[in-house]
């Protein structure tokens, strides 16, 4: 599996910052809490449900679980919590594996694959449920769904025992076996743990552990018509896999008493040895301007607000990958934000800062004119072409030079010319009265002096004219004689690569688009994507899918991995050069 993805980044051996989880693990190692033959003292897992695509929030959990295993020479399992057959699919299993590997992590440990599925444990989970029923710790409830809901009570009122709660264990067992044999319809019976209907914790009021679902499962097919509940399956899967530290988000804190209860009962019944796994909770990632709810992301896809799960505006791993983010930037981000036990919001600029930090030293430079306007050098000989050179990367001369031609007609940015310059404008403008037209340097080329412009019948500027100074070429002695304030980029019309460039912006205009139950679709940014026809320096025709560049003055761009074809790349703007997100 791991060889399928060539770009997977090796997980860095970081100098980890301590946090409450590391403190717990350090203490467990010190006390030898989990010393078991043949098993590492730290065993974590990342347990997605294969019902959607992973997003940046999951990346935090992945970096945390796999990162702890890496740093403590332990092991991390990838486990699919696949107990909801109607919602799950192989498509999601595949993309989740792909995303975890792309992020730079691996469930292969010393040559052994630790890829697991809760559905692999269905037989064991069933056996444990039978044992719980026999021991009087669980029963088959035959109330209607409505009665069950009413009798559960609420936060202020204790629940009421089901009339079936004290039915003989043998009767429950018989019903359970018949549930499994397919003798009942969905919802006719349910298996519940027998705990305490008056518990202040609603999760302890005889939670359901098995339900009837006549549904096809993406892995077990039609072998089962009863499926274990998530809260039952999760701790038991952890114990089956010898997980030590079961790390999840804070909303599961109230589920921890049941997690402990079920493991204790099953350990008593001889299914597990002490010490059993322990659950720890951390604050989920909330990122400004971003939605991290699978359900809402699915809505964006299904209502075609975006072009799919991998739309470059989506916070899914496949989306940010296509957008041009690097796994290293995401790892850096996850390290930098750390883990805490209190909820908060992380500013989007933190993520972009990590991205720029990672891309700046890596990305080769290139020239792109995004909003083209023609510049004609009237005194440049027609049919003549002069070669110009520029560094691939200004801070790493060893990466060499790139070359591109200059000729009589060039493309420049529309904003680099003003017919009537505003105060302080020092790029191209024509002579005004007896003030000469302005001089600028064409970056890596010559100094030119603006002489005027052409307009169409509607008064739109369609070309700018200038003269050049033939002894002013960058890199020659003469260039020192010219002192100009403006320095603009350009691409020669002859040889320019015409390319589609997609300029992405935030998908939402509200920093907390779904906070407090708001309708997140109201805050959609209508201008989250702008597509332009750009002109690029000729060498860019060789750009390969997923290759990233800094287009000077514009930001970082990546050759789109889906729409680029050989010789005709399409570019996505990954991010601008400067922070436009911070407050
Ligand atoms: P669902 O709403 O479908 O349950 P989920 O986002 O909880 O979605 P899971 O597949 O259950 O998805 O998540 C896998 C793991 O990722 C869980 O351990 C979960 O706690 C963690 N996780 C999910 N969202 C975030 C987040 N925003 N920040 C950190 N961890 C997260
Ligand atoms: Mg979940």
């Amino acid at each position: 599996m791991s060889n399928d993805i060539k770009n997977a980044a090796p997980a860095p051996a970081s100098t980890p910052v301590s946090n409450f989880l590391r403190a717990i693990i350090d203490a467990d190692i010190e006390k030898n809490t989990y010393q078991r033959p043949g098993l590492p003292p730290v065993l974590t897992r990342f347990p997605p449900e294969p019902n959607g695509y992973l997003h940046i929030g999951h990346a935090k959990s992945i970096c945390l679980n796999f990162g702890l295993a890496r740093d403590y020479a332990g092991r991390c399992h990838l486990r699919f919590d696949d107990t909801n057959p109607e919602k799950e699919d192989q498509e999601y299993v595949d993309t989740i594996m792909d995303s975890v590997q792309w992020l730079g992590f691996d469930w292969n440990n010393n040559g052994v694959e630790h890829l697991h599925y809760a559905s692999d444990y269905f037989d064991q989970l069933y056996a444990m449920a039978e044992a719980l029923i026999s021991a009087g710790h669980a029963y088959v409830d035959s109330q209607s769904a409505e009665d069950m809901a009413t009798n559960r009570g609420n936060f202020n009122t204790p629940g009421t025992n089901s009339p079936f709660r004290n039915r003989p264990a043998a009767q429950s067992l018989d019903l359970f076996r018949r549930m499994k044999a397919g003798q009942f319809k969905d919802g006719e019976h349910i298996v519940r743990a027998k705990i305490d209907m008056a518990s202040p914790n609603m999760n302890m009021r005889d939670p359901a552990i098995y339900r009837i679902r006549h549904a096809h499962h993406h892995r077990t097919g039609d072998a089962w018509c009863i499926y274990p509940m998530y809260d039952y399956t999760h701790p038991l899967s952890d114990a089956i896999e010898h997980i030590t530290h079961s790390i999840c988000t804070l909303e599961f804190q109230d589920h921890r008493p049941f997690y402990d209860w079920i493991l204790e009962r099953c350990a008593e019944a001889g299914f597990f040895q002490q010490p059993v796994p322990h659950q720890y909770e951390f604050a989920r990632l909330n990122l400004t301007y971003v939605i991290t709810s699978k359900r809402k992301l699915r809505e964006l896809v299904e209502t075609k607000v975006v072009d799919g799960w991998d739309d470059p505006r989506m916070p899914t791993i496949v989306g940010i990958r296509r957008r041009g983010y690097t796994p290293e930037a995401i790892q850096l981000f996850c390290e930098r934000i750390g883990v805490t036990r209190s909820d908060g919001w992380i500013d989007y600029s933190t993520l972009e800062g990590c991205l720029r930090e990672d891309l700046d030293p890596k990305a080769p430079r290139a020239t792109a004119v995004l909003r083209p306007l023609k510049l004609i050098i009237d005194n440049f000989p027609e049919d003549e072409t002069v070669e110009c050179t520029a560094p691939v990367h200004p801070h790493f001369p060893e990466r060499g030079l790139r070359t591109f031609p200059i000729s009589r007609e060039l493309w420049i940015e529309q904003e680099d010319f003003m017919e009537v310059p505003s105060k302080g404008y020092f790029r191209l403008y024509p002579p005004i009265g007896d003030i000469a037209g302005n001089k600028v340097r064409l970056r890596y080329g010559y100094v030119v002096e603006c002489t005027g412009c052409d307009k169409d019948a509607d008064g739109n500027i369609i070309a700018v004219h200038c003269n050049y100074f033939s002894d002013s070429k960058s890199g020659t002695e003469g260039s020192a004689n010219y002192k100009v304030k403006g320095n603009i980029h350009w691409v020669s019309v002859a040889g320019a690569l015409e390319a589609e460039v997609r300029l992405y912006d935030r998908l939402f205009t509200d920093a907390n688009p779904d906070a407090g139950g708001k309708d997140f679709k109201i805050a959609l940014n209508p201008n989250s994507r702008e597509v332009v026809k750009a002109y690029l320096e000729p060498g860019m025709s060789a750009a390969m899918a997923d290759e990233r560049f800094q287009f000077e003055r514009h930001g970082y761009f990546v050759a789109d991995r889906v729409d680029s074809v050989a010789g005709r790349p399409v570019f996505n703007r990954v991010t601008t050069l400067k922070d436009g997100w911070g407050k």
Side-chain angles (χ1 to χ4, degrees):
M1 220 19 248
S2 36
N3 295 331
D4 292 1
I5 299 184
K6 296 183 195 72
N7 287 342
S14 57
T15 10
V17 180
S18 193
N19 58 48
F20 79 96
L21 287 170
R22 287 180 182 277
I24 289 166
I25 293 175
D26 288 336
D28 280 331
I29 289 176
E30 174 89 27
K31 289 182 292 190
N32 270 333
T33 308
Y34 294 98
Q35 225 195 21
R36 301 152 313 170
L39 289 166
V42 177
L43 231 161
T44 57
R45 86 285 169 270
F46 173 64
E49 182 179 357
N51 64 349
Y53 284 65
L54 296 182
H55 54 61
I56 182 79
H58 294 117
K60 177 175 177 182
S61 180
I62 293 169
C63 290
L64 179 59
N65 280 296
F66 282 94
L68 286 170
R70 172 196 64 209
D71 297 341
Y72 285 95
R75 168 169 120 196
C76 181
H77 295 185
L78 175 63
R79 183 203 313 141
F80 289 101
D81 253 320
D82 54 351
T83 55
N84 275 314
E86 291 104 326
K87 291 186 180 159
E88 298 160 0
D89 200 86
Q90 186 63 35
E91 172 196 355
Y92 303 125
V93 169
D94 294 340
T95 172
I96 289 171
M97 294 203 290
D98 197 57
S99 291
V100 171
Q101 290 189 317
W102 178 74
L103 277 170
F105 298 102
D106 201 337
W107 48 88
N108 184 302
N109 186 266
N110 295 326
V112 183
E113 299 279 318
H114 291 285
L115 176 63
H116 303 285
Y117 296 83
S119 54
D120 286 344
Y121 311 137
F122 280 174
D123 284 321
Q124 293 171 74
L125 297 173
Y126 176 82
M128 291 181 214
E130 279 208 350
L132 289 166
I133 292 173
S134 302
H137 294 311
Y139 61 99
V140 171
D141 194 355
S142 310
Q143 296 182 94
S144 68
E146 300 79 64
D147 286 348
M148 220 176 294
T150 315
N151 290 339
R152 217 173 152 226
N154 56 38
F155 284 110
N156 305 315
T157 326
T160 315
N161 285 351
S162 162
F164 302 98
R165 196 176 199 257
N166 290 319
R167 74 180 359 151
Q171 194 184 37
S172 279
L173 198 56
D174 175 60
L175 284 167
F176 186 42
R177 289 177 177 159
R178 288 165 58 200
M179 282 166 68
K180 177 175 184 258
Q183 294 182 14
F184 304 110
K185 293 197 285 289
D186 286 8
E188 253 186 278
H189 303 282
I190 199 161
V191 182
R192 300 176 74 174
K194 195 186 280 185
I195 309 179
D196 178 8
M197 288 304 290
S199 171
N201 183 340
M202 299 289 287
N203 296 300
M204 296 297 270
R205 294 186 186 174
D206 291 10
I209 64 174
Y210 258 95
R211 68 217 194 284
I212 305 173
R213 277 281 178 287
H214 290 273
H216 187 84
H217 187 280
H218 69 104
R219 293 190 75 244
T220 58
D222 298 312
W224 294 88
C225 63
I226 54 170
Y227 290 95
M229 303 299 287
Y230 175 84
D231 273 351
Y232 172 75
T233 309
H234 194 83
L236 298 178
S237 304
D238 281 348
I240 290 169
E241 293 178 21
H242 306 289
I243 302 300
T244 55
H245 302 82
S246 178
I247 302 164
C248 62
T249 38
L250 278 173
E251 65 268 26
F252 289 100
Q253 192 168 334
D254 285 351
H255 298 233
R256 193 187 338 128
F258 181 64
Y259 185 103
D260 292 338
W261 184 92
I262 195 80
L263 289 183
E264 286 308 317
R265 298 293 82 73
C266 287
E268 283 163 12
F271 288 102
F272 306 118
Q273 306 231 305
Q274 297 287 359
V276 290
H278 195 83
Q279 172 181 307
Y280 302 92
E281 306 89 16
F282 69 99
R284 55 180 284 120
L285 169 67
N286 295 314
L287 194 58
T288 57
Y289 298 101
V290 168
I291 274 177
T292 47
S293 147
K294 272 190 215 164
R295 181 178 60 77
K296 291 172 190 166
L297 294 176
R298 176 184 306 282
E299 197 175 326
L300 294 176
V301 173
E302 285 174 355
T303 57
K304 302 212 175 345
V305 167
V306 294
D307 288 343
W309 288 101
D310 69 345
D311 186 299
R313 293 166 293 181
M314 288 283 273
T316 49
I317 305 293
V318 288
I320 53 187
R321 175 183 188 184
R322 187 170 170 195
R323 174 75 170 264
Y325 277 67
T326 57
E328 293 84 354
I330 296 166
Q331 288 185 14
L332 179 63
F333 171 70
C334 291
E335 263 167 51
R336 198 159 282 172
I337 60 177
V339 276
T340 63
R341 283 190 48 83
S342 53
D343 268 319
W345 284 80
I346 302 290
D347 206 273
Y348 197 85
S349 58
T350 308
L351 175 58
E352 287 214 317
C354 294
L355 181 64
R356 291 192 187 95
E357 217 172 295
D358 184 51
L359 287 180
D360 182 44
K362 288 179 182 168
R365 278 26 178 187
T367 311
V369 174
L370 300 185
R371 292 183 177 81
L373 172 63
K374 196 169 276 184
L375 177 72
I376 302 169
I377 312 175
D378 290 301
N379 65 342
F380 201 94
E382 273 189 64
D383 306 327
E384 190 174 311
T385 298
V386 174
E387 192 175 82
C388 299
T389 55
V392 169
H393 196 295
H395 304 140
F396 303 98
E398 66 276 17
R399 293 194 203 164
L401 297 171
R402 43 189 238 267
T403 60
F404 40 85
I406 190 163
S407 50
R408 192 165 184 271
E409 294 198 353
L410 312 176
W411 294 114
I412 61 168
E413 297 289 344
Q414 289 164 17
E415 62 165 37
D416 286 342
F417 172 77
M418 280 185 96
E419 191 179 13
V420 181
S422 55
K423 196 164 174 285
Y425 187 80
F426 47 75
R427 285 166 276 167
L428 290 168
Y429 54 82
I432 310 162
D434 45 11
I435 307 168
N438 201 32
K439 289 195 192 75
V440 299
R441 174 166 293 283
L442 299 173
R443 200 160 160 77
Y444 311 119
Y446 297 93
V447 171
V448 296
E449 180 177 313
C450 187
T451 54
C453 65
D454 300 334
K455 293 184 187 174
D456 65 12
D458 299 325
N460 300 312
I461 295 160
I462 52 169
V464 176
H465 289 271
C466 66
N467 285 318
Y468 86 124
F469 301 92
S470 59
D471 60 345
S472 65
K473 190 161 182 248
S474 294
T476 65
E477 256 174 52
S479 71
N481 300 328
Y482 295 84
K483 295 274 176 280
V484 292
K485 275 195 185 164
N487 190 327
I488 68 171
H489 67 271
W490 53 274
V491 170
S492 168
V493 170
L497 174 75
E498 190 186 306
E500 179 177 321
V501 176
R502 298 158 183 177
L503 305 172
Y504 293 107
D505 196 358
R506 61 189 83 175
L507 196 48
F508 296 97
T509 52
D510 186 331
N512 316 115
D514 58 351
K518 268 186 290 193
D519 178 2
F520 62 100
K521 291 190 297 314
I522 291 172
L524 277 169
N525 175 8
N527 305 313
S528 58
R529 174 173 59 190
E530 185 190 353
V531 179
V532 297
K533 189 182 82 175
Y535 291 106
L536 277 49
E537 65 179 71
M540 293 305 289
S541 63
M544 308 282 285
D546 282 335
E547 219 181 327
R548 299 170 184 89
F549 299 90
Q550 186 193 100
F551 290 170
E552 299 189 24
R553 290 173 70 199
H554 286 305
Y556 296 95
F557 292 75
V558 67
D560 188 83
R561 61 198 325 265
V562 176
D563 295 332
S564 295
V565 293
R568 284 210 84 73
V570 169
F571 288 93
N572 301 326
R573 182 169 66 198
V574 191
T575 182
T576 52
L577 288 178
K578 287 202 194 81
D579 178 16
W581 296 78
K583 279 169 223 150

